[in-house]
Amino acid sequence: MSDIAILEVDGKKYEFPIIRGTEGEVAIDLKTLRGVTGGVITLDPGFKNTGSCVSAITFLDGEKGILRYRGYGLEDLATNSNFLEVTYLTIFGELPTKKEFKRFEETIKSNSMVNEEMKDIIDGFPKNAHPMGILSSLTSALTAFDPKSVNVEDEEEMFQAICKTMSKIPVLAAWAHKKNLGHPMNYSNNNLSYIENVLEMLFKIPTESYKLSPKVVNALDQLLILHIDHEQNCSTSTVRIVGSAHAGLFASIAAGVSALWGPLHGGANQAVIEMLKDIQKDGGDVEKYILKAKDKNDPFRLMGFGHRVYKNFDPRAKIIKKAADEVLEDLGIDDPILDIAKRLEETALKDAYFVKRKLYPNVDFYSGIIYRALGIPTKMFTVMFAIGRLPGWIAQWREMRLNKEPIGRPRQLYIGENQRSFVAMSER
Ligand code: ACO
């Protein structure tokens, strides 16, 4: 095995080191490319082949369908652990001891008050504002109430900032939901577990007592574990790149929320249900929509199908499909939308177009179905994803800062006009 890659440009050869990851992945280290070649750069729109960092958080093998956080398989964690414990593992690198977990949980709980003036900001939003927009704005606004930037060299300060973020974001997420409903905002209930608290803040209304269902708590716990991290995806890369300019943790997370909102990323879970409803309204003809998705002149895509890295199957989808089936059975839900989802899945999986391009249902195809069964409105799906992805964003932000990564600043290949002289408007 060679440790050197040779690149020839305009007849001149250059050598670059080959770096190997702990799982045998191979990368050519091109840090010096531009300098030694006198200006040559790599061009890789969408970063399909470009590693932006080294990371010890998540290992993903899209071909084999492997996903591990800090070396632990997703199935192992989803079966044996809980969301907060996996959060600790993802951020700090090791499973917590009993004492460490207690301190983590208690510090999160002790930070769960959100400044009341935040409600004035919420008042300024129209009632129908999308909760992702509200969440992103409120997350940014947290900086106004806590302007001191965290000293990343100080372990305790870092710990406190992490707990604060883990604590306040779900409150803001629930408030975004209550704003849409026109209901009063709930406060955190520190007697509950993290996931129970999320559910209570979302669903509790002052006129009735709210009864938590252990099955629902368990399903949401599992679902959010699956979303915790997914290495350098669009929102995580955004968090890292914003943080690389030394923007604070809240500002970096707010940027991540905005990136996640896009329908090609976290917004896909909402798009899946909207697509299924459209198909239902249009008479439930699944074949017609498969044809539309295959038609290159039609911009329609099957939402919840395909993935940038998983080209065999999405391991999260496998776990979540089982959870979805269980939740639907447990809650005794009979939903015509779900029938369409099943038919769509079966038809697409047999269709040569989807088979050839390795387009399988991704995690979002099923997560929307579970959220719908849990009574979470469609507009809130991506917000739920954000709550799940929060630990991953924090872990990646922390790693980036501790590794002292340089500011993220890609290059470009200019293909515009060459220099020309200004022409007065009267002569154009
Ligand atoms: N429906 C129909 N055709 C599709 C779909 C789809 N959902 N996804 C990809 N294709 C086709 C493309 O048209 C392309 O065909 P071609 O080779 O004939 O030109 C081929 O499959 C490859 O597609 P790309 O867009 O190049 O694949 P890429 O890796 O860039 O995109 C993505 C991945 C964005 C997820 C894409 O599959 C997609 O748009 N899916 C629907 C949205 C979605 O579900 N997103 C959630 C992703 S998971 C997450 O973010 C948590």
Side-chain angles (χ1 to χ4, degrees):
M1 272 195 301
S2 164
D3 284 336
I4 299 288
I6 299 166
L7 178 72
E8 193 174 320
V9 184
D10 293 336
K12 220 171 152 198
K13 285 190 177 155
Y14 302 93
E15 291 189 349
F16 298 97
I18 288 178
I19 305 180
R20 292 175 202 276
T22 45
E23 289 285 346
E25 289 174 302
V26 181
I28 304 169
D29 180 349
L30 291 175
K31 279 201 286 287
T32 58
L33 173 70
R34 203 170 162 273
V36 296
T37 56
V40 176
I41 59 159
T42 56
L43 185 63
D44 184 16
F47 311 116
K48 292 195 180 191
N49 308 284
T50 299
S52 59
C53 59
V54 293
S55 178
I57 300 171
T58 290
F59 173 66
L60 193 165
D61 183 331
E63 302 305 323
K64 294 192 187 127
I66 296 173
L67 178 59
R68 297 186 202 125
Y69 304 151
R70 302 285 188 182
Y72 295 96
L74 201 60
E75 202 151 1
D76 197 2
L77 294 171
T79 316
N80 298 311
S81 189
N82 62 63
F83 178 72
L84 209 54
E85 191 180 35
V86 184
T87 292
Y88 186 98
L89 166 74
T90 311
I91 297 174
F92 299 107
E94 294 296 336
L95 286 167
T97 61
K98 219 177 194 171
K99 198 171 148 206
E100 285 166 338
F101 184 76
K102 189 166 178 272
R103 179 167 174 255
F104 186 51
E105 192 175 32
E106 281 174 359
T107 315
I108 289 176
K109 287 184 176 179
S110 69
N111 276 290
S112 62
M113 285 291 280
V114 169
N115 196 302
E116 283 293 296
E117 283 181 70
M118 288 290 268
K119 290 186 179 167
D120 299 338
I121 302 175
I122 298 179
D123 279 346
F125 281 96
K127 186 169 178 284
N128 277 337
H130 196 287
M132 280 299 272
I134 303 181
L135 182 62
S136 171
S137 309
L138 294 182
T139 306
S140 239
L142 280 177
T143 317
F145 300 97
D146 197 355
K148 192 176 151 288
S149 200
V150 55
N151 172 9
V152 297
E153 310 279 328
D154 185 323
E155 221 176 291
E156 182 56 27
E157 249 191 59
M158 194 74 143
F159 181 78
Q160 292 297 332
I162 287 167
C163 291
K164 212 183 273 181
T165 311
M166 282 300 299
S167 188
K168 296 193 195 301
I169 303 288
V171 180
L172 301 180
W175 285 6
H177 174 51
K178 292 294 184 187
K179 166 78 190 183
N180 280 174
L181 293 175
H183 287 178
M185 320 274 158
N186 286 323
Y187 294 101
S188 249
N189 177 349
N190 289 349
N191 295 318
L192 300 177
S193 75
Y194 193 84
I195 296 295
E196 287 170 341
N197 190 36
V198 168
L199 282 164
E200 191 180 275
M201 284 191 295
L202 283 171
F203 290 118
K204 194 175 155 198
I205 51 171
T207 48
E208 283 167 30
S209 59
Y210 176 68
K211 202 171 170 300
L212 284 155
S213 146
K215 279 175 184 160
V216 168
V217 173
N218 185 46
L220 187 61
D221 196 282
Q222 276 212 340
L223 189 53
L224 296 191
I225 287 176
L226 304 184
H227 283 86
I228 284 183
D229 196 50
H230 210 231
E231 51 120 295
Q232 306 313 315
N233 56 83
C234 178
S235 59
T236 301
S237 299
T238 302
V239 169
R240 275 185 100 120
I241 209 160
V242 172
S244 77
H246 293 194
L249 182 53
F250 294 149
S252 306
I253 299 291
V257 173
S258 296
L260 188 72
W261 193 1
L264 296 190
H265 188 17
N269 53 17
Q270 173 174 342
V272 168
I273 295 295
E274 280 162 0
M275 174 189 74
L276 294 174
K277 280 188 194 160
D278 286 345
I279 299 177
Q280 186 196 28
K281 250 194 252 155
D282 196 21
D285 186 353
V286 161
E287 299 281 351
K288 179 177 160 188
Y289 282 83
I290 297 273
L291 283 174
K292 267 168 80 63
K294 297 195 297 187
D295 181 355
K296 291 291 167 208
N297 297 318
D298 189 327
F300 176 77
R301 279 191 167 197
L302 268 198
M303 287 294 128
F305 274 77
H307 198 276
R308 171 59 62 80
V309 293
Y310 294 122
K311 301 298 179 192
N312 265 331
F313 64 93
D314 181 340
R316 302 166 302 171
K318 216 170 133 187
I319 299 172
I320 212 176
K321 183 177 174 9
K322 199 165 151 250
D325 288 342
E326 280 166 14
V327 167
L328 295 177
E329 203 189 308
D330 283 349
L331 300 178
I333 286 173
D334 186 15
D335 185 342
I337 291 281
L338 305 176
D339 176 48
I340 292 175
K342 273 191 191 145
R343 284 194 285 127
L344 199 64
E345 184 192 351
E346 278 164 17
T347 317
L349 287 177
K350 278 189 263 165
D351 190 287
Y353 172 96
F354 290 88
V355 173
K356 186 175 161 224
R357 288 169 182 77
K358 300 187 171 177
L359 300 169
Y360 298 88
N362 57 50
V363 67
D364 285 327
F365 189 72
Y366 303 108
S367 65
I369 291 172
I370 296 196
Y371 289 140
R372 188 172 155 90
L374 298 186
I376 294 170
T378 319
K379 256 172 128 179
M380 278 295 290
F381 288 3
T382 318
V383 173
M384 300 309 293
F385 189 162
I387 296 176
R389 183 54 53 89
L390 181 61
W393 289 334
I394 296 173
Q396 300 270 352
W397 182 88
R398 176 178 177 269
E399 181 180 71
M400 180 271 307
R401 289 303 307 271
L402 292 183
N403 286 353
K404 296 193 172 33
E405 280 175 23
I407 185 166
R409 204 296 187 189
R411 292 274 169 182
Q412 64 162 22
L413 188 70
Y414 178 69
I415 55 160
E417 298 286 348
N418 294 117
Q419 190 177 7
R420 46 185 176 164
S421 300
F422 180 76
V423 180
M425 199 180 274
S426 57
E427 286 165 37
R428 277 177 241 157

